[in-house]
């Protein structure tokens, strides 16, 4: 039977994916299966960005960092978690990447996040949802220390990296990975667990929903220029308590 040649576009896409898997394999460390960490390292080495991270998400209250290539990548994720602002803090309801070649150009949109991010050293950010249909499991975030857009070829490569990161997360969540300790959607860091514990305590103290308690916690952290984890630690250790707003006095 004569083999039918694939259309040019499909062939090119296949070649791109093979090439990017080679990048990931080169960036992989250790003897276990390829992981999210290798995806992030490959992005930094090959795409002209200065940092990359992947965060598992389950709504604005549930964000669990899986890997960050450097301190600033981790700091940017923490800032977005604290302020509720930034390229990867949205709900990605349309499944489209958020590409910000110059952070200062969106200062009015995300005033709390942008000022802190630029001061920390980030000037451009790109966030790609890790999404399968309506199921949004995470986000791949990239930053540059200088303003600048992703070239068309770089964007195409990033989209393939995001697809691979999504597949790794879904495989791990389904228990397909042969490496027992590689289950990025199971468990959470102690710091994030403490944030959720503090949210529950604030909810009880104020008699409000978890969503409102989380918003109050976020506001306190932002107003005091502290990370959510730090404020949460004070709450869990009974050093800080949220008291209900006093009821207005009724006229005599």
């Amino acid at each position: 039977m004569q083999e039918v040649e694939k259309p040019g576009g499909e062939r090119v896409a296949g070649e791109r994916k093979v090439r990017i898997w080679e990048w990931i394999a080169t960036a992989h460390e250790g003897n276990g299966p390829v992981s999210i960490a290798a995806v992030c390292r490959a992005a930094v080495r090959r795409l002209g960005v200065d940092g990359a991270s992947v965060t598992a998400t389950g709504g604005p209250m549930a964000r669990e960092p899986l890997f960050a290539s450097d301190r600033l990548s981790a700091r940017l994720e923490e800032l977005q978690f604290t302020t509720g602002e930034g390229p990867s803090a949205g709900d990605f309801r349309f499944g489209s990447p958020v590409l910000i070649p110059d952070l200062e150009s969106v200062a009015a949109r995300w005033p709390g996040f942008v000022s802190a991010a630029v001061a920390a050293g980030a000037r451009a950010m790109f966030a790609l949802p890790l999404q399968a249909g309506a199921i949004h499991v995470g986000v791949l975030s990239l930053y540059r220390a200088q303003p600048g857009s992703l070239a068309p070829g770089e964007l195409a490569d990033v989209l393939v990296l995001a697809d691979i990161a999504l597949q790794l997360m879904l495989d791990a969540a389904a228990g397909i990975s042969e490496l027992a300790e590689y289950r990025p959607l199971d468990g959470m860091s102690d710091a994030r667990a403490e944030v959720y514990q503090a949210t529950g305590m604030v909810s009880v103290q104020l008699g409000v929903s978890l969503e409102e308690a989380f918003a109050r916690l976020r506001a306190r952290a932002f107003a005091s220029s502290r990370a959510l984890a730090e404020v949460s630690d004070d709450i869990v250790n009974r050093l800080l308590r949220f008291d209900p707003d006093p009821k207005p006095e009724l006229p005599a």
Side-chain angles (χ1 to χ4, degrees), residues 68-76 143:
S69 65
D70 61 301
R71 286 188 176 183
L72 183 48
S73 290
R75 172 63 174 155
L76 292 171
Y143 83 86

Side-chain angles (χ1 to χ4, degrees), residues 21 27 29 61-62 91 126 128-129 135 142 144 151 159 165 167-168 170 182 196 200 206 214 218:
W21 266 114
E29 297 177 358
M61 290 178 58
D91 57 10
F126 315 101
L128 295 96
I135 303 174
L142 314 169
R144 279 179 171 160
L159 291 173
Q167 191 59 57
L168 290 174
L170 294 177
Y182 178 60
Y196 305 139
L206 298 180
F214 185 63
R218 224 177 210 167

Side-chain angles (χ1 to χ4, degrees), residues 12-39:
V12 170
E15 292 172 353
R16 182 185 299 275
K17 191 165 187 177
V18 169
R19 172 167 51 84
I20 291 174
W21 266 114
E22 291 175 350
W23 293 355
I24 294 171
T26 301
H28 178 52
E29 297 177 358
N31 298 320
V34 169
S35 69
I36 291 293
V39 173

Side-chain angles (χ1 to χ4, degrees), residues 77-203:
E77 165 54 28
E78 184 63 34
L79 283 171
Q80 291 181 98
F81 187 54
T82 298
T83 63
E85 300 175 352
S88 71
D91 57 10
F92 294 101
R93 66 184 62 187
F94 300 114
S96 299
V98 178
L99 309 175
I100 311 296
D102 186 353
L103 276 175
E104 292 187 325
S105 70
V106 293
R109 179 180 177 186
W110 299 315
F113 171 75
V114 169
S115 60
V118 170
R123 294 298 305 277
M125 285 189 67
F126 315 101
L128 295 96
L130 306 182
Q131 190 165 332
I135 303 174
H136 180 217
V137 300
V139 58
L140 168 64
S141 299
L142 314 169
Y143 83 86
R144 279 179 171 160
Q146 297 296 328
S149 302
L150 291 172
E154 291 173 335
L155 178 57
D157 289 342
V158 168
L159 291 173
V160 174
L161 280 169
D163 284 343
I164 292 172
L166 169 64
Q167 191 59 57
L168 290 174
M169 291 179 68
L170 294 177
D171 286 352
I176 295 175
S177 171
E178 296 178 358
L179 188 62
E181 62 269 26
Y182 178 60
R183 297 183 181 277
L185 299 186
D186 290 349
M188 61 186 67
S189 68
D190 292 341
R192 287 292 164 90
E194 200 163 51
V195 170
Y196 305 139
Q197 182 181 355
T199 299
M201 294 174 66
V202 172
S203 174

Side-chain angles (χ1 to χ4, degrees), residues 1-13:
M1 179 182 297
Q2 184 178 3
E3 183 177 352
V4 178
E5 185 177 354
K6 294 180 180 180
E10 186 176 347
R11 183 174 62 251
V12 170

